[in-house]
Amino acid sequence: MKTLYIIHTGGTISMKEDAQTGSVKPDDHNPLQHSTPSIASLANVIVEEAFHLPSPHITPKEMLTLAKKIEQKIETDQIDGVVITHGTDTLEETAYFLDLTTKTDIPIVLTGAMRSSNEIGSDGPYNFISAVRVASSDAAKGKGVLVVMNDEIHTAKNVTKTHTSNVATFQSPQYGPIGIVTKQEISFHHMPTEHEFYPVDNIDKQVVLLKAYAGMDEQLFQSLASLHIDGLIIEALGQGNLPPRTLQGLQQLLDKNIPIVLVSRCFNGIAQDVYGYEGGGKHLKELGMIFSNGLNGQKARIKLLVALQSSSNQEEIQEIFHH
């Protein structure tokens, strides 16, 4: 029987709904702690509650704490996999951070819930058991950090929360899940072709994420130039274009050697330097902006945070974002 390291971090999966007010909030005790005996037939488990936080309270510092805990547990115990329960709002960011900063072939699986533990149709216990089954599967080895929700297995790089409340909220636009969970087996039908790893000992950079819109001008960027930021992600229009009035403010940031990474605000497709007009992708790339290879804004921010811990060289950062 496999030995799994279970890390609870909080989130809806560990919350309860107040019967009178209907508000969902953390309970004194994580209800999944009582579910542990139900997985005894699936794996031997080492259980730890790293913190008890709603996912909007999670920061990159907590993400780094999880990475270090996993790294230490791999060194001190003979574990075969990791399962992390997490709130869904920032689950994809934690998953991607761990995907970039942990170097191991053992399965690392994140899961959560859209309905709290005492709501009708609560999905937490089922997702938890599914995650344990995936983390115990030999087929899950070497596929990077995975997210298991609603009978589907997604990669950390591609998965995103697409609905505010639906239990099928986690999807991988363009690519779909890489596997499914059935009653009999864990079935993978494709897998990632490469895996990136960046060793990180500290997270102390300031990276801002902005979304472009029609009529956007230079003011926000001029304000950022007066603050201490280390990097900027912009969810640009279409294939990677910006309104021309933004350029003056953007140039102030570029003059300060602040890396600016462009992704698309569209949830399908890749930002590319296609258009040659003022503010078009070709123009922006000529100015020194970096195009990301298919990441969404929040994950590009995580990647730039990680990249800046080891290098501030624009060419090196550009190379990192080509993966």
Side-chain angles (χ1 to χ4, degrees), residues 257-278:
N257 293 318
I258 293 171
I260 301 174
V261 177
L262 299 180
V263 302
S264 177
R265 71 177 193 178
C266 305
F267 62 86
N268 279 310
I270 296 173
Q272 296 176 306
D273 54 323
V274 174
Y275 289 95
Y277 52 73
E278 185 182 15

Side-chain angles (χ1 to χ4, degrees), residues 5-316:
Y5 181 32
I6 311 283
I7 309 175
H8 296 304
T9 70
T12 300
I13 196 168
S14 66
M15 295 183 187
K16 286 188 176 180
E17 181 184 61
D18 187 286
Q20 294 182 326
T21 66
S23 66
V24 176
K25 56 188 178 182
D27 193 41
D28 292 336
H29 302 286
N30 186 338
L32 285 180
Q33 297 282 23
H34 307 301
S35 301
T36 304
S38 69
I39 61 172
S41 62
L42 301 175
N44 298 315
V45 296
I46 303 167
V47 183
E48 179 179 351
E49 187 167 71
F51 19 82
H52 196 60
L53 296 172
S55 61
H57 295 195
I58 298 288
T59 74
K61 292 191 183 301
E62 281 79 28
M63 298 175 194
L64 182 60
T65 296
L66 292 175
K68 294 303 179 187
K69 281 182 177 293
I70 293 168
E71 189 178 83
Q72 291 165 7
K73 191 62 71 174
I74 289 171
E75 290 180 0
T76 59
D77 293 72
Q78 194 69 36
I79 61 170
D80 302 296
V82 178
V83 173
I84 301 170
T85 63
H86 196 289
T88 58
D89 285 351
T90 59
L91 185 149
E92 66 191 84
E93 287 159 89
T94 296
Y96 189 52
F97 181 93
L98 294 175
D99 196 51
L100 293 174
T101 60
T102 56
K103 190 175 186 179
T104 180
D105 283 337
I106 70 170
I108 299 174
V109 180
L110 280 81
T111 193
M114 295 303 293
R115 297 173 183 153
S116 58
S117 62
N118 62 335
E119 288 184 66
I120 294 174
S122 174
D123 53 332
Y126 184 83
N127 285 338
F128 181 50
I129 289 172
S130 296
V132 168
R133 290 180 60 204
V134 172
S136 302
S137 169
D138 288 334
K141 290 180 179 177
K143 291 182 171 61
V145 175
L146 303 172
V147 173
V148 172
M149 297 277 290
N150 203 40
D151 283 334
E152 294 182 339
I153 308 167
H154 296 263
T155 64
K157 183 176 181 179
N158 295 325
V159 75
T160 191
K161 187 174 182 178
T162 65
H163 194 285
T164 58
S165 57
N166 196 305
V167 294
T169 181
F170 280 93
Q171 304 290 331
S172 294
Q174 294 193 103
Y175 305 105
I178 66 167
I180 58 173
V181 179
T182 71
K183 290 186 182 296
Q184 284 79 31
E185 64 180 351
I186 307 302
S187 176
F188 288 91
H189 43 74
H190 61 274
M191 66 179 288
T193 56
E194 61 180 27
H195 182 247
E196 302 169 73
F197 169 68
Y198 305 98
V200 172
D201 292 317
N202 192 27
I203 288 288
D204 58 7
K205 303 300 182 184
Q206 179 68 257
V207 176
V208 174
L209 169 62
L210 293 178
K211 188 168 190 169
Y213 52 84
M216 193 179 200
D217 61 22
E218 72 282 4
Q219 292 184 68
L220 278 174
F221 304 106
Q222 288 175 338
S223 297
L224 288 175
S226 66
L227 301 174
H228 174 68
I229 69 166
D230 301 292
L232 173 63
I233 308 293
I234 304 174
E235 291 187 3
L237 308 173
Q239 292 193 57
N241 313 304
L242 292 171
R245 285 186 61 191
T246 63
L247 297 177
Q248 183 183 353
L250 288 166
Q251 190 61 56
Q252 290 183 31
L253 294 168
L254 291 169
D255 289 344
K256 298 177 77 171
N257 293 318
I258 293 171
I260 301 174
V261 177
L262 299 180
V263 302
S264 177
R265 71 177 193 178
C266 305
F267 62 86
N268 279 310
I270 296 173
Q272 296 176 306
D273 54 323
V274 174
Y275 289 95
Y277 52 73
E278 185 182 15
K282 281 192 179 297
H283 183 206
L284 299 176
K285 191 165 187 179
E286 288 167 1
L287 291 176
M289 295 181 211
I290 298 165
F291 281 71
S292 176
N293 191 10
L295 293 173
N296 62 23
Q298 55 267 35
K299 287 186 188 168
R301 178 180 172 272
I302 291 294
K303 192 167 192 178
L304 186 53
L305 274 173
V306 169
L308 285 169
Q309 292 302 140
S310 56
S311 175
S312 58
N313 181 280
Q314 294 272 2
E315 290 183 2
E316 290 179 6

